[in-house]
Every structure is written in structure tokens, then in C-alpha cells.
């Protein structure tokens, strides 16, 4: 039998990377912030049956649990430093733990983010990570910083994760190749950390697209007390979604969640700088809307004609979910 402490030692304790002054093993970890930097902190919890299907591949789950947290740092323009892991497990299954930690640490190492502590308990499968990052004072990409006249930008492509989910739920069918391409967006999202860092000092406001662009952009609009018009046909639909009809393309690119791209705003004078920032990190950036004084989010087609789309972000507590 694997004891709680053996489990932690075997699967989660690794040689220190020097990011933490004191890592796993004491009552608290100790972090020494770089001189003059602010600490960006965010938590995200993944619950079996809610955020992932029962029986989910543990390696993918390890990746996604950290990816969604790193995505929050990316959306703030913060550099990852460290994270904690609170884990509820139904059983101490060696094979599961080994794959989960491999997926987790592969992504952690790619971003130089050190696991510095956590908690482990028996219970229904639940993964809660808290990430710590650094950002120079005044440079964080806050939701309340959009300004009237700003362009609205979207990174990468959106909608394929939602398409894969719809297929998994039996709502539509995809070929095996299409499903495998779209499902990689759903199961192993790429947090846009380098892009967030490159946008520091150029973009005004940013958010990561976890619940769908319309809903997530809505948070920027609300916090910044502005509105926006979005050209739905200009949105960068994922390669699989791009082959579908306009109605599905519009719905899933405007409101599909789980792609973990960034939506951000920047002044029109920064267009060249935004394109250069995207090119410098190898991520496409697409301009798809404009921030306006009138509150609310309006949609148009590519010709500028108003579209009457009723879309909103995913809400865990709304009546029909
Ligand atoms: P405490 O009882 O003081 O909360 P624990 O006995 O729960 O401490 O944990 C012992 C050490 O192992 C602590 O440093 C804690 O941060 C770390 N730890 C526990 N679970 C995990 C985990 N899943 N991943 C990383 N570190 C963990
Ligand atoms: Mg504890």
C-alpha cells in the first residue's frame, strides 16, 4: 500500500529548480519574489464529471490541470514561477499517478514552473492547482483596462475544442481524423504564456477564452464599462470548424469554450506591434472587433450587417446546465 507521504515523495517531489526558497516538505513553501515584481496568483479546479469525463487519460489530465492555470497567468501577462497541487484521489493507483505526474511535469518544465507544495486526500477525483507568477508593476493585462476605440484581438484559433466536445456528447459527428485534431484542443490546450508576455506594455486588457469568446469578452466589457462590436466572420475558426457551415462556425467560434486562446484589446496605433508580438512567439493574432462606448456586445457578419446571435459563456450555475 502506498501511504500519503510515500505517494507525494514518489510522484511529486523532484529536485529543486531554485525557483522556490523552500519547496515541498515543510508546513509552507517559501517564495522570494524578484525585486520590484508583483505576484500574480490564480487557482483553477478540475472536477471529474464536470470538467472532464470519468476515466479521462491521466497524462492528459495532468497537462490540462496545469494548462488552464498557466492560461490565467498568460491572460495577465505574467511569467510562471511556481504552483501548488491539491489532489483528491479515489485510490493511490501507481500507474495513474505516474502518467498524471508525467503530463503535469512535462508542461511545468516547459514553462519553468516548479511544484512547491499541495495537499493530498482520498476522495472523488478532483485536481486543484494554484499558480504563482511575476509581472512588473503596472504591466499586468487587466480586464478593466479596455478603452473605447481599441481593437479586439483573438490569438490562434477558436471553436475546435467545442466541436470535439459536441462530438463526444453525441451532438454531431466528425471523422476519426477530424475528431483527433479537434480533441487535442479540448484535452491538451496550449496556454499562450509567451504571447501574454510579449503583449505586456502593448495590449490594454486581456482574458483567456475558457468559457467562450462572447462570455469572456463580456467580462472585459463589464469591468472596463464599455461595449464592443465583433465581426463573427472574422473570428479565426479552428481548422476543423472552418470546414463546417456558417451557422455552426459562427456559434462555436463566438461561444465555444475550452480553447484557452487569449482575447485582448489594444489601440489601433499598436496594430503593427501586436502582429510583431504574435510573430515573435509563433502565434497567429487576428483582429475581429472594436471597443465602443455603448455597453453590450454586438455581432456583425463580414459585410458589417448586424447578426442576431444569442450567445453567452458557460455558467456552471445557470438553470439548464
Ligand atoms: P500539512 O499537514 O502541514 O498540510 P501535508 O502532510 O499535507 O502537510 O503535506 C506534506 C508536504 O507535502 C507539504 O509540504 C505539502 O505542501 C506537500 N504536499 C502534499 N500534497 C502534495 C501534492 N499533491 N503535491 C505537492 N506537494 C504536496
Ligand atoms: Mg496538508
Amino acid at each position: 500500500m502506498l501511504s500519503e507521504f510515500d505517494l507525494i515523495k514518489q510522484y511529486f517531489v523532484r529536485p529543486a529548480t531554485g525557483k522556490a526558497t523552500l519547496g515541498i516538505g515543510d508546513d509552507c513553501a517559501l517564495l522570494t519574489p524578484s525585486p520590484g515584481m508583483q505576484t500574480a496568483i490564480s487557482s483553477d479546479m478540475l472536477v471529474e464529471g464536470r470538467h472532464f469525463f470519468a476515466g479521462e487519460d491521466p497524462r492528459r489530465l495532468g497537462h490540462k490541470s496545469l494548462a488552464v492555470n498557466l492560461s490565467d497567468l498568460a491572460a495577465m501577462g505574467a511569467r510562471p514561477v511556481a504552483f501548488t497541487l491539491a489532489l483528491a484521489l479515489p485510490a493511490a493507483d501507481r500507474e495513474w499517478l505516474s502518467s498524471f505526474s508525467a503530463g503535469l511535469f512535462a508542461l511545468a518544465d516547459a514553462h519553468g514552473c516548479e511544484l512547491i507544495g499541495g495537499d493530498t486526500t482520498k476522495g472523488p477525483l478532483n485536481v486543484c492547482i494554484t499558480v504563482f507568477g511575476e509581472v512588473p508593476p503596472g504591466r499586468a493585462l487587466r480586464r478593466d483596462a479596455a478603452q473605447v476605440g481599441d481593437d479586439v484581438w483573438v490569438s490562434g484559433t477558436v471553436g475546435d475544442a467545442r466541436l470535439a466536445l459536441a462530438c463526444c456528447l453525441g451532438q454531431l459527428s466528425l471523422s476519426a481524423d477530424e475528431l483527433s485534431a479537434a480533441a487535442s484542443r479540448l484535452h491538451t490546450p496550449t496556454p499562450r504564456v509567451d504571447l501574454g508576455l510579449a503583449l505586456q506594455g502593448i495590449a490594454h486588457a486581456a482574458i483567456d477564452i475558457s468559457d467562450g469568446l462572447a462570455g469572456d469578452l463580456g467580462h472585459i466589457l463589464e469591468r472596463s464599462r464599455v461595449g464592443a462590436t465583433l465581426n463573427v466572420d472574422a473570428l479565426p475558426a479552428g481548422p476543423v470548424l472552418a470546414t463546417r457551415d456558417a451557422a455552426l462556425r459562427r456559434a462555436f467560434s463566438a461561444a465555444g469554450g475550452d480553447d484557452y486562446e487569449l482575447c485582448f484589446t489594444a489601440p489601433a496605433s499598436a496594430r503593427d506591434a501586436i502582429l510583431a508580438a504574435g510573430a515573435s512567439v509563433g502565434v497567429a493574432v487576428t483582429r475581429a472587433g472594436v471597443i465602443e462606448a455603448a455597453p453590450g456586445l454586438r455581432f456583425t457578419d463580414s459585410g458589417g450587417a448586424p447578426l442576431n446571435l444569442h450567445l453567452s459563456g458557460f455558467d456552471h450555475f445557470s438553470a439548464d446546465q
Side-chain angles (χ1 to χ4, degrees):
M1 245 323 261
L2 202 52
S3 78
E4 177 186 333
F5 300 104
D6 288 342
L7 182 160
I8 296 165
K9 209 152 103 194
Q10 205 163 333
Y11 295 102
F12 297 113
V13 177
R14 303 196 314 160
T17 65
K19 289 279 180 121
T21 303
L22 183 64
I24 293 173
D26 214 313
D27 297 310
C28 291
L30 295 173
L31 284 179
T32 307
S34 304
M37 297 292 257
Q38 288 180 335
T39 305
I41 306 164
S42 179
S43 294
D44 253 314
M45 178 159 38
L46 272 72
V47 176
E48 186 177 66
R50 190 76 212 171
H51 302 95
F52 58 93
F53 296 115
E56 168 66 328
D57 174 80
R59 191 184 169 102
R60 293 197 312 209
L61 182 62
H63 173 100
K64 186 162 180 176
S65 304
L66 182 59
V68 300
N69 278 277
L70 292 176
S71 179
D72 284 319
L73 290 182
M76 214 63 185
R79 185 181 297 285
V81 174
F83 68 106
T84 61
L85 167 68
L87 196 56
L89 291 171
D93 177 333
R94 286 176 192 274
E95 215 173 301
W96 190 96
L97 281 160
S98 165
S99 297
F100 175 84
S101 64
L104 181 81
F105 285 128
L107 186 63
D109 292 348
H111 291 280
C113 196
E114 183 177 325
L115 178 61
I116 57 168
D119 199 20
T120 307
T121 179
K122 192 168 174 140
L125 184 57
N126 186 321
V127 187
C128 182
I129 286 179
T130 298
V131 278
F132 302 84
E134 283 187 348
V135 63
R139 304 268 279 191
L141 306 173
R142 297 167 48 142
R143 295 181 184 183
D144 61 5
Q147 291 176 19
V148 173
D150 277 1
D151 295 320
V152 177
W153 295 79
V154 177
S155 71
T157 65
V158 287
D160 271 2
R162 179 67 182 84
L163 198 61
L165 181 64
C167 181
C168 294
L169 294 172
Q171 296 168 349
L172 50 78
S173 58
L174 298 173
S175 73
D177 283 353
E178 287 176 333
L179 178 60
S180 110
S184 72
R185 296 301 308 268
L186 178 65
H187 297 307
T188 48
T190 303
R192 301 299 189 192
V193 173
D194 291 345
L195 179 63
L197 289 169
L199 292 174
Q200 246 187 41
I202 307 173
H204 283 155
I207 192 166
D208 62 323
I209 306 174
S210 53
D211 298 335
L213 176 57
D216 289 325
L217 175 57
H219 297 310
I220 289 183
L221 303 182
E222 198 174 319
R223 296 292 299 268
S224 300
R225 298 171 184 276
V226 293
T229 294
L230 207 54
N231 172 357
V232 183
D233 292 331
L235 292 174
V240 185
L241 180 60
T243 65
R244 295 313 200 256
D245 65 56
L248 193 68
R249 215 174 54 230
R250 286 170 173 166
F252 281 8
S253 54
D258 269 325
D259 290 298
Y260 293 95
E261 294 292 354
L262 297 184
C263 171
F264 54 96
T265 81
S269 59
R271 284 178 191 171
D272 288 346
I274 297 286
L275 292 171
S280 74
V281 297
V283 178
V285 285
T286 303
R287 192 159 49 84
V290 62
I291 299 292
E292 297 159 337
L297 179 55
R298 293 159 288 280
F299 302 103
T300 70
D301 65 12
S302 53
L307 280 179
N308 198 14
L309 299 181
H310 291 287
L311 307 167
S312 62
F314 184 85
D315 176 351
H316 286 286
F317 295 103
S318 73
D320 58 346
Q321 281 153 353

